[in-house]
Amino acid sequence: MAVRSPLEQRRAQHQRYKEDVQRTGKPFYPWAMFHDTVMSLVVVSVIVALACIWYFTSGESPGEPGLLGPRFTSEADPGTTSFIPRPDWYFYFLFYLLRIFKWPESVILGTVGIPTILLLLMLALPFLDVRRERRLLRRPVAVVAAILVVLSMGILTYKGATTEESLGGDEALIEEWMEANNLPEEARAGAVLYAETGCQQCHLYLGAGSANLGAPELTAIGAEGGKGVDYFARYIGNPRQFGNTVMPIYGESLSEENLRQMGIFLDASKGPGGGG
Amino acid sequence: MPRAKSARRQQIERAVLYPLDWLEERSGLIGGVKYFIFRKVPQDIGWPQTLGSATLTAFIVQAVTGAILAMYYKPHPETAYESIRYITNDLTLGWLVRGMHRWGASVFIILMFFHMARVFLYGAYKYPRELNWIIGVLLLALGMFEGFTGYLLPWDQTSYWASVVGININGTAPFLGPFLAQFLQGGAEIGADTISRFYALHMLLLPGALFALIGLHLYLVIRLGVTSPPWSPEAAGRDRAEVAPTTNGRAGLVRPGSRGGLTRTGVRK
Ligand code: HEM
């Protein structure tokens, strides 16, 4: 038998495929069409069922949850701030990736790098795997890669769905911070501002808040020497000047005095047992 | 009896066939549809191959419910939330339309992933279907982007803050990131311009692109045919020498153009 190049073999195989289908195939109608129709009916029924469960178990007012969550939460308010962002479930993996990478060195990896690499790998797949072999047991690399991708996406999605997002601007929380972090009384105003301005959407403080976009934890930020009240006030006022392109520019919404109070709070935050 | 059709019956037949013939003569469409419906597919395909058309069904549900929502939804920060509240709580069956659109989005994405998994497990992205896999990956990316832009539209706290973070994530990308973030946001802050932009993307640009790509995807599916399960002993296009050891010593004859001989005789029948 003459040795044929891989491309010739692939062409021959597809030729064989077409002949086999012509000879032994079944007509699309009715067999495959029947399967497709049944499946489509199932899909539509599932969608209608989800809509019904969502609607009939939830209440009319904002935020009243049913089995599948509320119909809507309260109206968007750019001013409030103690709201923890949550994307739709299929972005949870990305959402959680953001917690793994730390701002600023590696956060780009989490937000852009890994998704881009995944996308490119997926686009390139048919050119990376050019063998004709289609049986699973003879494609160990493909199978292992698939299992790893599914596992890691599954774990990231699960983690993203279940992480605790404790939040609050309430007084008990502030009291707890004052206590646990040994804050002086003059830091109180800043602590209240911190809780009300939405810093917790991205930053963690004593286990409360979130860790989005790789924002650092601030519990002991004041213990990292050489910064001081002024530095913090200027940073919060305009993070762009410090190379931070993500954090909002609070200088546009907070007064000098408020920025200063926040600076005092952060400067005093030296972590539990950090000796305030 | 079959030969002697009554005149009346012939008349009816002609009346039915006339418009079809008319259309066929001028467009060839009837022939196309006939080809689509009666084309042969491998005998061993079954339920796993319905995932693609299931995805298509979910997409159509989105298109229809989305068009209805668009008749009542008012894309502006001052009206969006109220219009969503009205659709959900007051409009007759509005809850059903919005609920189907909302949950249909998740079902659509899940089905895309399942369909993709099927294609991957069957090795169906290989020659000559590489292009269709690439179109599929683009469909997946656009589908998720469609979900992202739709999430903002109800303008409640959940959607607003998720979009803030989403836009900021785009902002972290090197080089293009800040521009992309600025483009999505539309103005100095997330507001009226952002809603208009997300709305235009969500109900015009992205669905248009999805429609076009789905069309191309289906064209390629019909042109290239659907793959048989690779483990099927009857798989169309299988290697004869391997699967069906020769019963009559004619393995050397198996190559394109010389079919027959080693067909199914060695396998099952
Ligand atoms: C809007 C989304 C999509 C729709 C409506 C769609 C529709 C379909 C349909 C109806 C088929 C026929 C066979 C079957 O149903 O399994 C098919 C096949 C195929 N699809 Fe998709 N698809 C979508 C997304 C994707 C994605 C995300 C991928 C992969 C990244 C993909 C890759 C393929 C490939 C390679 C085939 C050929 C499979 C074969 O020959 O066995 N599609 N698609």
Side-chain angles (χ1 to χ4, degrees):
Chain A
M1 192 203 302
V3 181
R4 286 177 295 167
S5 75
L7 182 59
E8 278 168 342
Q9 286 179 26
R10 278 184 256 148
R11 286 190 180 136
Q13 182 174 37
H14 189 56
Q15 190 59 39
R16 230 168 26 241
Y17 165 87
K18 286 196 273 193
E19 288 162 6
D20 284 353
V21 171
Q22 273 320 311
R23 207 153 25 86
T24 64
K26 57 186 180 189
F28 178 67
Y29 174 89
W31 303 112
M33 205 159 176
F34 170 72
H35 283 149
D36 281 345
T37 310
V38 171
M39 188 65 173
S40 292
L41 287 176
V42 170
V43 168
V44 175
S45 314
V46 167
I47 294 176
V48 169
L50 285 170
C52 289
I53 295 171
W54 167 74
Y55 178 76
F56 288 113
T57 61
S58 59
E60 280 207 355
S61 43
E64 240 178 274
L67 291 175
L68 294 176
R71 295 183 192 169
F72 34 74
T73 48
S74 46
E75 185 166 5
D77 178 1
T80 45
T81 44
S82 41
F83 201 89
I84 282 296
R86 238 179 207 296
D88 223 347
W89 63 268
Y90 40 89
F91 288 117
Y92 280 173
F93 77 99
L94 227 143
F95 190 62
Y96 198 77
L97 264 183
L98 299 186
R99 287 149 195 269
I100 296 179
F101 294 96
K102 288 278 158 277
W103 176 265
E105 307 88 39
S106 60
V107 68
I108 288 179
L109 254 186
T111 55
V112 192
I114 291 185
T116 311
I117 291 170
L118 270 180
L119 192 67
L120 289 180
L121 274 180
M122 268 165 54
L123 286 173
L125 174 69
F127 307 102
L128 298 174
D129 178 14
V130 292
R131 294 181 314 143
R132 275 191 309 133
E133 184 58 63
R134 295 195 294 119
R135 277 161 295 185
L136 282 178
L137 289 179
R138 306 196 189 185
R139 296 160 60 206
V141 179
V143 170
V144 170
I147 291 174
L148 286 182
V149 167
V150 168
L151 263 185
S152 46
M153 292 284 272
I155 291 173
L156 285 174
T157 301
Y158 175 77
K159 294 282 238 177
T162 53
T163 34
E164 281 284 315
E165 305 270 13
S166 50
L167 239 229
D170 57 77
E171 280 178 32
L173 188 73
I174 310 273
E175 227 32 76
E176 201 186 305
W177 290 352
M178 300 291 292
E179 188 99 0
N181 236 357
N182 248 331
L183 298 176
E185 199 48 39
E186 75 238 36
R188 183 183 291 274
V192 172
L193 272 170
Y194 175 90
E196 287 177 350
T197 313
C199 311
Q200 301 184 84
Q201 277 161 33
C202 295
H203 292 282
L204 273 175
Y205 193 89
L206 282 167
S210 173
N212 276 313
L213 297 162
E217 175 164 355
L218 298 178
T219 313
I221 190 78
E224 298 168 18
K227 293 192 167 161
V229 177
D230 257 4
Y231 171 88
F232 289 122
R234 270 190 295 122
Y235 192 103
I236 300 165
N238 187 2
R240 300 293 174 279
Q241 280 180 357
F242 298 80
N244 181 338
T245 54
V246 177
M247 186 167 142
I249 301 173
Y250 288 105
E252 289 169 358
S253 50
L254 295 180
S255 68
E256 285 290 317
E257 175 56 20
N258 286 346
L259 291 176
R260 223 191 123 61
Q261 289 167 335
M262 203 106 84
I264 295 174
F265 163 65
L266 289 179
D267 187 52
S269 301
K270 310 221 189 281
Chain B
M1 229 242 285
R3 219 160 33 95
K5 282 183 190 162
S6 70
R8 194 179 149 68
R9 174 121 180 233
Q10 279 179 17
Q11 234 178 353
I12 294 177
E13 254 174 36
R14 236 177 296 136
V16 171
L17 286 181
Y18 181 77
L20 295 182
D21 285 340
W22 188 93
L23 194 62
E24 170 65 12
E25 190 181 341
R26 283 157 186 80
S27 67
L29 277 178
I30 304 295
V33 171
K34 266 193 188 155
Y35 173 78
F36 170 75
I37 292 180
F38 298 108
R39 81 193 141 89
K40 291 219 171 153
V41 293
Q43 56 177 335
D44 44 16
I45 66 169
W47 292 106
Q49 282 85 354
T50 62
L51 286 168
S53 63
T55 316
L56 180 62
T57 303
F59 181 76
I60 293 172
V61 167
Q62 292 309 93
V64 172
T65 52
I68 301 174
L69 285 177
M71 296 173 190
Y72 297 93
Y73 174 74
K74 302 191 172 60
H76 189 276
E78 265 147 42
T79 49
Y81 183 75
E82 170 55 24
S83 66
I84 288 290
R85 196 204 57 72
Y86 171 76
I87 291 170
T88 319
N89 286 345
D90 301 341
L91 182 65
T92 310
L93 287 185
W95 63 269
L96 182 62
V97 178
R98 177 165 175 242
M100 284 180 73
H101 198 72
R102 179 178 166 148
W103 293 101
S106 288
V107 169
F108 173 61
I109 303 252
I110 292 184
L111 284 172
M112 270 202 285
F113 277 115
F114 283 178
H115 170 55
M116 190 169 95
R118 194 290 282 172
V119 169
F120 184 87
L121 294 178
Y122 282 49
Y125 52 84
K126 301 190 174 205
Y127 178 92
R129 300 183 179 83
E130 299 97 326
L131 188 58
N132 223 13
W133 171 268
I134 291 176
I135 293 173
V137 175
L138 294 180
L139 282 171
L140 185 70
L142 287 181
M144 290 182 76
F145 197 39
E146 182 76 349
F148 173 69
T149 49
Y151 204 62
L152 173 71
L153 300 179
W155 203 248
D156 63 2
Q157 289 281 59
T158 318
S159 64
Y160 179 82
W161 288 106
S163 304
V164 170
V165 174
I167 290 176
N168 285 346
I169 288 177
N170 281 302
T172 63
F175 312 118
L176 283 181
F179 294 102
L180 187 60
Q182 194 52 46
F183 167 74
L184 284 174
Q185 191 159 325
E189 59 194 24
I190 296 185
D193 292 336
T194 322
I195 290 202
S196 308
R197 248 158 229 233
F198 274 49
Y199 193 50
L201 287 172
H202 183 75
M203 70 163 275
L204 210 60
L205 198 62
L206 292 173
L210 280 167
F211 258 119
L213 284 174
I214 290 175
L216 211 55
H217 197 69
L218 296 183
Y219 165 74
L220 287 182
V221 167
I222 293 166
R223 184 185 157 91
L224 301 171
V226 180
T227 35
S228 279
W231 44 84
S232 158
E234 301 278 298
R238 65 193 179 277
D239 288 341
R240 294 308 192 275
E242 251 181 85
V243 180
T246 64
T247 48
N248 50 9
R250 285 166 67 190
L253 294 182
V254 178
R255 45 166 198 273
S258 77
R259 59 196 175 99
L262 288 179
T263 55
R264 306 200 286 160
T265 37
V267 184
R268 205 173 65 182
K269 297 266 157 74

